Amino acid sequence: MALPGLMARLNCREYKNWMKAGQCLLMLQSRLRGYVDAEMQRFHRQLASRITAPRQRKRCQCRAKGKQFQPNCPVCAQWKELILAHHNNKNGEIHWGNSDPSLWSTHYWEVAKVFMPRGQTQLKGPTQCDAAALLNLINACDYFRIPNISRVREMIKCRNDLMHSSDMMVSSPWLKDFGEKMYDLIAEFTHVPGLVREGEKMQEVLSFDWNVEDLGMYEVDGPEKEYLQTERCITMGGSGLSSDNVEILLIRQLIQELYLEIEEQGSLSKEDEDKISKFKNFLSQNEDLKSALQGDLERLDSLWKNNVPLNAEGYV
Ligand SMILES: [Zn+2]
């Protein structure tokens, strides 16, 4: 028999919408990773060939913190200049603290992280990056020559809407708009291997529907009404991911966002407290998710009780 919270959640239209959009972003991220990886390696080789300062035998001591970086050696000074020359946000915020400058010459991903939003310090490569990090990199680095970059920005906004929705629900008109924006985005990336096909699968995910009954789950829009074997194995459209995996992955991203927001502000705002409170309430009604996210919840609890952020940079 299905748990009451699970049934209510997976039968709620707006929550299903939230899951579907999140699912599409997970699919996008999996295709963008390989592409961004190859492009950044090429870009890094191009930049490295332009460093004329003599390389030191030992790693230098230059370190960045937050939005600040003052190079102490000629190699890092040149790297900083080159990175800035290719940064589309050179007059705005640059999160130098994401990366370790002393590794710029040898680790291409340390260079990539300067083009990303905060919270990347511990991440070692594209396989650890979510769609937001990859899209922001594409948006901030002029090596990626995307004809209509506004489509990338629109998708970043959609993703932020989704992750900042504290009740984890979005309306059907919002989801329709999201589907159109995803379609437009993919049109800018037809050269990314497998992405067009993935876009077709996303359309299946977006139009897919299901209902949960005590007996189990069945697809509503499938070719035939088909009872699935277990309660927790809805495979969402053609995506190949099961609903419980999608939920856990998305909720982890949501918690991560919350951490970063709180760390940026240095304390909990009233809005954060409300968000955490809503979130805890949601999980208390959904025992299946609560047990799967126990470790994440303990971190969140500790954050709440101490009213100070944990080491969010270290939270992965
Ligand atoms: Zn240095």
Side-chain angles (χ1 to χ4, degrees):
M1 185 167 150
L3 294 162
L6 173 76
M7 281 181 57
R9 182 172 92 239
L10 292 182
N11 284 332
C12 168
R13 166 76 42 210
E14 285 75 21
Y15 184 79
K16 287 197 264 190
N17 289 343
W18 184 81
M19 274 177 72
K20 289 180 193 180
Q23 164 74 22
C24 290
L25 286 168
L26 292 173
M27 293 163 80
L28 175 71
Q29 121 193 342
S30 73
R31 290 294 166 184
L32 284 183
R33 280 172 173 170
Y35 161 71
V36 166
D37 188 32
E39 290 299 308
M40 283 314 296
Q41 292 198 44
R42 261 194 286 274
F43 179 51
H44 182 261
R45 279 197 295 274
Q46 195 184 91
L47 295 186
S49 70
R50 289 165 59 193
I51 302 290
T52 51
R55 273 216 9 220
Q56 294 124 321
R57 258 184 253 142
K58 278 188 184 170
R59 254 175 79 184
C60 69
Q61 296 299 309
C62 302
R63 297 291 181 271
K65 194 167 180 353
K67 294 166 201 164
Q68 306 293 324
F69 175 52
Q70 291 303 329
N72 284 323
C73 80
V75 176
C76 287
Q78 280 195 345
W79 270 107
K80 184 180 178 183
E81 216 171 279
L82 280 174
I83 289 171
L84 277 175
H86 289 277
H87 211 300
N88 290 330
N89 198 26
K90 51 176 87 57
N91 299 318
E93 289 184 350
I94 298 182
H95 296 285
W96 298 101
N98 272 341
S99 80
D100 181 344
S102 69
L103 296 172
W104 282 343
S105 298
T106 49
H107 292 65
Y108 73 100
W109 203 249
E110 291 301 318
V111 175
K113 291 195 290 189
V114 184
F115 296 90
M116 291 187 181
R118 68 194 309 288
Q120 305 291 319
T121 313
Q122 306 296 323
L123 308 191
K124 303 286 179 226
T127 54
Q128 296 174 312
C129 286
D130 63 17
L134 299 170
L135 291 172
N136 273 288
L137 164 65
I138 291 169
N139 181 43
C141 177
D142 73 0
Y143 184 74
F144 294 92
R145 291 195 175 84
I146 308 302
N148 194 344
I149 197 74
S150 67
R151 291 177 166 179
V152 173
R153 292 181 192 142
E154 285 296 320
M155 191 45 62
I156 294 172
K157 270 191 228 157
C158 284
R159 189 266 177 196
N160 290 343
D161 283 351
L162 202 69
M163 284 296 136
H164 296 156
S165 153
S166 54
D167 51 5
M168 290 173 268
M169 292 186 191
V170 289
S171 70
S172 295
W174 186 93
L175 189 70
K176 185 171 177 289
D177 186 52
F178 170 84
E180 285 162 12
K181 284 176 176 161
M182 183 62 87
Y183 183 84
D184 288 346
L185 177 83
I186 290 174
E188 300 296 314
F189 290 92
T190 51
H191 53 291
V192 174
L195 188 57
V196 172
R197 175 75 192 102
E198 205 70 349
E200 290 162 9
K201 288 186 192 168
M202 287 182 204
Q203 296 308 318
E204 285 174 37
V205 169
L206 293 172
S207 58
F208 178 74
D209 201 4
W210 66 82
N211 265 334
V212 185
E213 290 186 347
D214 263 352
L215 293 169
M217 293 176 178
Y218 60 86
E219 297 177 17
V220 173
D221 286 350
E224 291 170 9
K225 240 182 202 185
E226 180 191 349
Y227 284 89
L228 302 178
Q229 292 299 310
T230 69
E231 290 164 353
R232 301 295 290 123
C233 75
I234 301 176
T235 51
M236 296 182 64
S239 70
L241 270 173
S242 66
S243 61
D244 50 342
N245 281 340
V246 171
E247 287 181 286
I248 302 293
L249 287 169
L250 291 177
I251 294 174
R252 287 223 164 99
Q253 285 190 14
L254 197 131
I255 297 175
Q256 167 79 343
E257 287 281 311
L258 211 50
Y259 269 99
L260 291 173
E261 244 176 68
I262 294 166
E263 199 204 37
E264 189 129 86
Q265 292 157 3
S267 66
L268 281 173
S269 65
K270 176 80 180 68
E271 205 184 327
D272 294 325
E273 281 189 31
D274 288 349
K275 259 192 212 171
I276 295 178
S277 168
K278 264 190 185 176
F279 184 62
K280 282 173 68 78
N281 191 34
F282 167 81
L283 287 181
S284 68
Q285 291 164 15
N286 292 278
E287 285 296 329
D288 60 316
L289 288 179
K290 198 176 171 182
S291 56
L293 290 159
Q294 203 52 50
D296 306 82
L297 263 181
E298 279 164 18
R299 285 164 192 261
L300 202 60
D301 255 347
S302 157
L303 177 73
W304 200 7
K305 281 176 195 145
N306 300 324
N307 202 22
V308 286
L310 298 174
N311 180 11
E313 295 278 11
Y315 177 78
V316 181

